[in-house]
Amino acid sequence: MKAGFYQFSPAFGEKEENIRKVRSAVKDADIDLLVLPEFFATGYQFISGEEVAELAEPVPHGHTTEALTALSLEKGIYIAAGLPERHRDRFYNSAVLTGPEGFIGVYRKTHLFFEETLYFTPGDTGFRVWDTKIGNIGVMICFDWFFPEAARALALSGADVIAHPANLVLPYCPDSMPVRCLENRVFAVTANRIGEESRKEGKPLRFIGKSEIVSPDGRILVRAPEDEEALMTAEIDPKAARDKRLNPFNDMFRDRRPEMYGKSGRGNQRS
Ligand code: ACM
């Protein structure tokens, strides 16, 4: 199947324009799984709770999720994309998965980054994997990558492919995802954004691009430039992620020893 991402620079607050941009970018694309950035339709740098309340939407019956579902149905593709979610009196940094069968599910970001902590509630869904016609798709959002437990939890739950909507500003992720993929023997599609947002005095954010698709053996199959819009795809076989063997003697999941991890501690503690 063909997995891909669309890396672009969303205009803050311009949902219609951003959704239109995505529609037009994928119009003629040959793709089965499309990953879009975190907050792809709203932009990233919120400066007040009121602004979040204004732009956040319920899931699945909100405008952005409905637009993604319509695009999935129309093109017969799966889409993972980030958006601010309103649920009762709370706001989450969420990502939805839609497909040819309609809305599939939502994941709420577990590890909030920087000033997201001012406006959003840490996610309560846990890491989720959905069985689909094209493979088992798990979702994590941007900064979640910094916590190895996120990719591990997804892989242990059977993910073949980690869909990873992002708005990266730190430089570390693109060179680290190969390790996440290698240690878990999974594919990952990181969809980052480009451009700059400078909506807060003295706190400009520059997004680093470099969206990429990585294979279970830690190879970067495609990587976008740091400052250009890009729709890129790679042919992948999700079933390859189900073979966790490194060599005839080591299976990276079978060889885990959780009982030893739980027993770890300082050397001067009595056992
Ligand atoms: C991030 O989590 N948006 C860096």
Side-chain angles (χ1 to χ4, degrees):
M1 68 104 157
K2 277 220 167 110
F5 55 77
Y6 177 45
Q7 164 176 299
F8 71 114
S9 178
F12 191 91
E14 303 295 334
K15 286 189 200 176
E16 281 312 320
E17 179 185 330
N18 296 323
I19 291 169
R20 232 185 351 258
K21 217 167 164 153
V22 169
R23 289 190 73 87
S24 135
V26 302
K27 191 158 69 70
D28 301 317
D30 174 18
I31 196 166
D32 301 295
L33 168 64
L34 169 69
V35 185
L36 297 173
E38 181 181 16
F39 291 164
F40 83 98
T42 56
Y44 180 76
Q45 196 179 33
F46 291 96
I47 57 173
S48 69
E50 291 73 41
E51 207 172 57
V52 174
E54 195 180 309
L55 291 169
E57 298 176 6
V59 171
H61 301 296
H63 178 70
T64 302
T65 307
E66 284 175 352
L68 292 167
T69 304
L71 185 58
S72 272
L73 292 170
E74 216 173 290
K75 282 194 64 77
I77 63 173
Y78 290 87
I79 305 175
L83 78 167
E85 179 194 359
R86 179 173 64 242
H87 180 68
R88 303 204 177 102
D89 57 349
R90 301 208 159 147
F91 299 99
Y92 296 96
N93 181 339
S94 297
V96 293
L97 181 67
T98 61
E101 58 270 56
F103 171 76
I104 297 174
V106 63
Y107 161 71
R108 296 174 175 153
K109 189 177 186 178
T110 304
H111 306 99
L112 298 176
F113 178 69
F114 197 57
E115 292 186 342
E116 289 169 28
T117 55
L118 301 176
Y119 307 124
F120 295 94
T121 300
D124 58 356
T125 53
F127 293 95
R128 292 184 159 179
V129 177
W130 289 276
D131 296 3
T132 75
K133 285 191 273 247
I134 56 169
N136 301 330
I137 302 173
V139 178
M140 65 180 189
I141 301 177
C142 202
F143 192 49
D144 281 330
W145 83 266
F146 225 111
F147 301 81
E149 294 87 348
R152 179 66 102 200
L154 288 170
L156 288 175
S157 299
D160 303 321
V161 184
I162 296 179
H164 184 207
N167 268 198
L168 298 160
V169 290
L170 299 177
Y172 315 114
C173 180
D175 289 342
S176 301
M177 284 309 290
V179 180
R180 291 289 169 275
C181 289
L182 185 62
E183 66 201 5
N184 291 297
R185 314 294 288 176
V186 292
F187 292 93
V189 182
T190 297
N192 193 26
R193 58 161 291 177
I194 53 169
E196 211 174 285
E197 280 184 1
S198 193
R199 308 188 65 249
K200 238 179 190 176
E201 188 78 32
K203 292 187 178 172
L205 294 176
R206 178 157 192 80
F207 302 96
I208 65 162
K210 295 186 179 175
S211 299
E212 63 188 12
I213 302 176
V214 182
S215 67
D217 55 359
R219 276 181 306 125
I220 296 168
L221 303 176
V222 292
R223 178 184 274 184
E226 62 182 54
D227 52 5
E228 283 169 38
E229 201 173 303
L231 174 77
M232 298 179 87
T233 61
E235 182 72 39
I236 66 170
D237 174 11
K239 287 197 185 66
R242 296 178 196 172
D243 180 1
K244 305 298 183 189
R245 286 172 303 180
L246 191 62
N247 60 46
F249 298 92
N250 295 112
D251 178 298
M252 296 313 294
F253 274 18
R254 187 202 59 201
D255 294 353
R256 293 179 65 246
R257 300 193 61 201
E259 72 281 13
M260 288 297 116
Y261 313 147
K263 204 173 158 184
S264 305
R266 294 166 64 117
N268 57 2
Q269 280 174 350
R270 293 219 186 103
S271 58

